Amino acid sequence: SCGICVEKCPFDAIEIINLPSELEEEPVHRYGDNAFALYGLPTPEPGKVTGILGPNGIGKSTAVHALAGETTPNLGEYEGDSDWEAVLDRYRGTELQNYLEQLIDGEIEVARKPQYVDQIPKQFDGKVRQLLERTDERGELDYLVDELSIRPVLDQAIDSISGGELQRVALAATLARDVDFYFLDEITPYLDISQRMTAAQLIQELSEDGDRSMLVVEHDLAILDLLADTLHITYGEPGAYGVVTDPKSVRNGINEYLSGYLDNENMRIRPESITFEEHAPRAATKGQPLVEYPDLHKSYGEGEFSLDVEAGTIYESEVLGVVGPNGIGKSTLAKMFTGALDPDEGELDTQLDIAYKPQYIEIDQPMRVDAFLSSITDQFGSSYWNTEIAQPLQLERIMEQNLDDLSGGERQRVAIAACLSEDADLYLLDEPSAHLDVEQRVQATSAIRRYTENHDATAMVIDHDIYMIDLLSDRLMVFDGEPADHGTARPAQEMRAGMNDFLADLDITFRRDERTGRPRINKPGSQKDREQKRDGEYYYAN
Ligand code: ADP
Ligand code: ADP
Ligand code: MG
């Protein structure tokens, strides 16, 4: 066993998967006997944004707790006392020496944005303003509040704001601090594309101001690509061990990671590469209408948000991608389809059976994953269900865990599985990509697509991951308007026209990486950006 393939490597005709030589040495940190071990540490650099890319459960947070001085690495000696001098000895003569010396001398201050912003309301009671004021160490809070558009929620209670608002509040709270080392554990969950770009720009600005070090863990490759100056890859066996590579250039790092082979390390980290399918935009092939809905209108209270839905049709066996900024009414429309919310004007056929995965998943029951899923479908455990759902969503390893012990990514996969396991006319998934790592996204995408194809099922998928939307969807429904004020849901259109409408509104064009085909955001004003805008081809250029 090579630690990557569970049993005999099925690819030995191609290449023998080698174990990293690091494993012959002592780790930087080990949690206990037979417990997770971390090899190597990332190197924060003053004035730079350092990215970390790797699967969930591979030790990224562990590495950061060490660099933040929150845990003293034990160098594998989990039974004795650990001490920083030993760690420094180990890293003398490396790029990290300087950093560790300052850390030990108490010269380094750290601010950290936690990965799961949903947990913040459990730890902090009070208004957004109160949380933020405590962090305003640089006198830049007003600027951050405006850039991140959180002024409208300043006087709301922390436990009443949405996930996207929480994410932006957490970013503002972290970036408002005056420290040497900022650590941001995933910046994109629940943010729309322009909010993601704003967050990236604020992080870059801060790194350049006063030589601060920024370390960012991120699974959105397009954003990581824009944001980071250098990149560490983490690989290994999630839950067992993780290795942090030396820094790489961002483009090479991402491409090597996707290819499954690290050039400098001469290391295969995955039996197969993650390929980005480049396909012509799907031509919609229409089946029978599943729902024909009239013009709809919904508003919340006097002068609060209002949504206009233009009449449209959803066809049987199609996957509809749904895109638009946050706060534009996507979830409101989803809730009208499920019948949880009634339109003020217009009527919806509520005879439909709908399986719904909400954006924010609350499954805090003291119940095991297997018990929960078998309560949803009697197909549970059949070889068919295993192949279609459990395997691609990597559920085997978490079946015996309790729902309330799951990490964000695990919870997301269980919720997607629960939704697809229902017998329904329409599957409605609200932001299935949140908290999934790159491989999990690719696998979840193909699981959803394959499931709908094999079952002639109809699905609507709301997501901000443009690549996931492109791979999944037959047609695209675009929302526009003024977030938090009014929104309009346009009828679904063909992919090319829909992407062009959506991205023109954002003023962003994408090109494909020559080597891997992955979509990359063009630099605003670059030659490609100008050409594509001139041709009106925002996504499917070439
Ligand atoms: P990542 O940030 O890459 O998702 P983490 O560093 O959070 O990964 O975790 C890596 C592994 O270490 C996981 O298997 C996790 O369960 C385990 N782990 C994390 N913290 C502890 C701990 N305090 N004790 C034992 N195991 C832990
Ligand atoms: P999206 O899914 O596109 O992010 P939503 O449909 O969740 O947008 O919300 C649209 C707008 O309606 C937001 O400004 C949100 O704050 C507001 N909103 C949502 N639910 C309610 C409610 N129950 N009462 C008042 N305003 C609401
Ligand atoms: Mg983590």
Side-chain angles (χ1 to χ4, degrees):
S1 160
C2 65
I4 293 172
C5 308
V6 179
E7 290 172 8
K8 190 178 177 307
C9 173
F11 289 82
D12 52 13
I14 305 170
E15 196 153 12
I16 293 171
I17 296 184
N18 43 336
L19 274 179
S21 60
E22 277 89 347
L23 299 195
E24 291 158 15
E25 296 158 18
E26 286 303 318
V28 178
H29 192 73
R30 185 191 289 283
Y31 283 113
D33 200 18
N34 271 324
F36 181 84
L38 174 71
Y39 297 83
L41 285 171
T43 324
E45 274 188 78
K48 292 262 162 70
V49 181
T50 305
I52 305 185
L53 173 61
N56 284 326
I58 205 81
K60 301 182 297 296
S61 298
T62 302
V64 163
H65 287 297
L67 290 179
E70 291 167 20
T71 48
T72 312
N74 58 23
L75 303 178
E77 302 293 326
Y78 48 88
E79 274 169 337
D81 289 333
S82 12
D83 91 81
W84 276 108
E85 291 303 326
V87 180
L88 183 56
D89 277 344
R90 168 89 164 262
Y91 284 94
R92 229 176 267 289
T94 72
E95 303 277 336
L96 259 182
Q97 175 177 346
N98 211 344
Y99 182 87
L100 291 176
E101 278 171 353
Q102 289 179 301
L103 185 69
I104 294 170
D105 292 341
E107 287 168 11
I108 286 192
E109 284 203 80
V110 180
R112 179 157 65 90
K113 189 201 78 65
Q115 182 173 17
Y116 301 119
V117 294
D118 324 44
Q119 305 292 322
I120 296 174
K122 294 182 186 153
Q123 290 145 19
F124 186 89
D125 223 3
K127 292 188 170 169
V128 171
R129 188 187 293 281
Q130 293 166 318
L131 180 138
L132 287 177
E133 273 167 0
R134 305 197 307 192
T135 65
D136 188 15
E137 297 171 355
R138 298 191 297 119
E140 293 287 340
L141 188 60
D142 272 341
Y143 171 68
L144 293 168
V145 161
D146 286 330
E147 288 292 302
L148 292 164
S149 312
I150 42 189
R151 198 163 296 284
V153 300
L154 279 182
D155 287 309
Q156 288 190 33
I158 285 282
D159 63 4
S160 75
I161 63 179
S162 73
E165 287 160 347
L166 264 180
Q167 185 72 270
R168 283 174 286 141
V169 167
L171 279 166
T174 310
L175 301 179
R177 305 266 323 272
D178 184 10
V179 301
D180 313 284
F181 175 45
Y182 295 79
F183 172 60
L184 301 134
D185 203 348
E186 289 197 60
I187 60 175
T188 64
Y190 312 132
L191 298 191
D192 65 32
I193 295 182
S194 64
Q195 292 166 341
R196 290 174 189 201
M197 309 247 318
T198 302
Q201 175 218 326
L202 291 171
I203 292 167
Q204 271 174 333
E205 274 175 22
L206 189 54
S207 77
E208 286 159 15
D209 167 47
D211 269 356
R212 302 163 198 272
S213 305
M214 321 295 290
L215 193 61
V216 184
V217 172
E218 185 48 56
H219 301 301
D220 180 328
L221 298 178
I223 291 296
L224 192 60
D225 201 14
L226 274 187
L227 171 68
D229 298 305
T230 59
L231 187 65
H232 293 272
I233 303 297
T234 49
Y235 65 95
E237 172 97 15
Y241 73 91
V243 182
V244 182
T245 68
D246 286 340
K248 296 170 181 289
S249 80
V250 178
R251 174 162 183 256
N252 284 346
I254 294 178
N255 286 352
E256 288 176 26
Y257 181 74
L258 294 173
S259 77
Y261 182 77
L262 304 179
D263 291 345
N264 274 349
E265 290 74 9
N266 185 21
M267 176 64 55
R268 179 151 290 283
I269 60 171
R270 201 184 311 107
E272 69 289 320
S273 65
I274 296 175
T275 48
F276 282 78
E277 191 188 319
E278 211 173 333
H279 62 100
R282 267 198 195 94
T285 47
K286 291 179 186 143
Q288 295 295 311
L290 177 73
V291 213
E292 290 175 292
Y293 53 87
D295 285 348
L296 303 168
H297 180 83
K298 173 79 202 170
S299 55
Y300 295 113
E302 259 319 281
E304 287 178 48
F305 179 79
S306 69
L307 172 69
D308 285 298
V309 181
E310 295 180 355
T313 307
I314 300 174
Y315 295 93
E316 281 177 6
S317 317
E318 74 173 345
V319 180
L320 267 193
V322 180
V323 293
N326 275 335
I328 205 78
K330 302 182 298 299
S331 297
T332 301
L333 179 65
K335 286 176 197 154
M336 292 200 286
F337 273 120
T338 64
L341 209 59
D342 282 326
D344 304 332
E345 291 164 35
E347 227 168 286
L348 262 176
D349 169 17
T350 46
Q351 300 300 308
L352 288 179
D353 253 335
I354 297 198
Y356 179 44
K357 188 205 79 67
Q359 179 173 19
Y360 309 114
I361 308 158
E362 287 176 30
I363 31 177
D364 288 321
Q365 309 163 51
M367 195 192 228
R368 269 171 43 162
V369 171
D370 47 7
F372 171 64
L373 291 173
S374 59
S375 74
I376 292 173
T377 173
D378 51 17
Q379 289 291 309
F380 177 85
S382 69
S383 67
Y384 174 75
W385 188 87
N386 285 341
T387 330
E388 294 270 302
I389 295 189
Q391 270 167 26
L393 293 167
Q394 298 172 2
L395 298 180
E396 286 102 332
R397 264 190 285 161
I398 54 171
M399 281 294 184
E400 293 173 11
Q401 291 190 33
N402 280 319
L403 291 173
D404 45 7
D405 290 337
L406 299 179
S407 73
E410 291 166 344
R411 189 175 285 244
Q412 184 71 269
R413 276 139 53 211
V414 171
I416 296 171
C419 178
L420 294 182
S421 295
E422 279 182 52
D423 202 3
D425 302 315
L426 179 63
Y427 295 84
L428 224 167
L429 296 115
D430 200 343
E431 216 179 335
S433 76
H435 294 309
L436 297 188
D437 66 34
V438 174
E439 294 169 73
Q440 290 165 346
R441 262 173 220 203
V442 170
Q443 281 174 318
T445 303
S446 65
I448 298 168
R449 180 76 210 172
R450 212 170 36 223
Y451 181 88
T452 55
E453 282 176 4
N454 292 347
H455 291 250
D456 283 330
T458 309
M460 276 175 90
V461 181
I462 303 172
D463 211 282
H464 299 298
D465 183 322
I466 200 84
Y467 176 70
M468 186 180 210
I469 286 290
D470 170 43
L471 272 195
L472 273 174
S473 315
D474 298 296
R475 293 193 304 151
L476 196 64
M477 185 169 187
V478 180
F479 280 65
D480 55 29
E482 188 60 45
D485 186 61
H486 66 273
T488 303
R490 308 288 175 189
Q493 8 176 14
E494 302 257 340
M495 289 306 293
R496 183 187 296 268
M499 282 288 208
N500 284 337
D501 273 5
F502 173 54
L503 294 175
D505 212 25
L506 288 170
D507 205 30
I508 295 173
T509 57
F510 281 82
R511 71 183 180 287
R512 294 295 188 138
D513 182 75
E514 284 158 25
R515 207 167 109 196
T516 60
R518 77 187 152 88
R520 305 181 74 187
I521 297 174
N522 285 320
K523 274 218 167 61
S526 65
Q527 191 181 345
K528 280 229 161 66
D529 184 56
R530 283 182 284 127
E531 280 172 13
Q532 287 181 226
K533 282 177 182 163
R534 185 197 61 209
D535 299 343
E537 278 289 7
Y538 284 75
Y539 191 80
Y540 301 104
N542 318 327

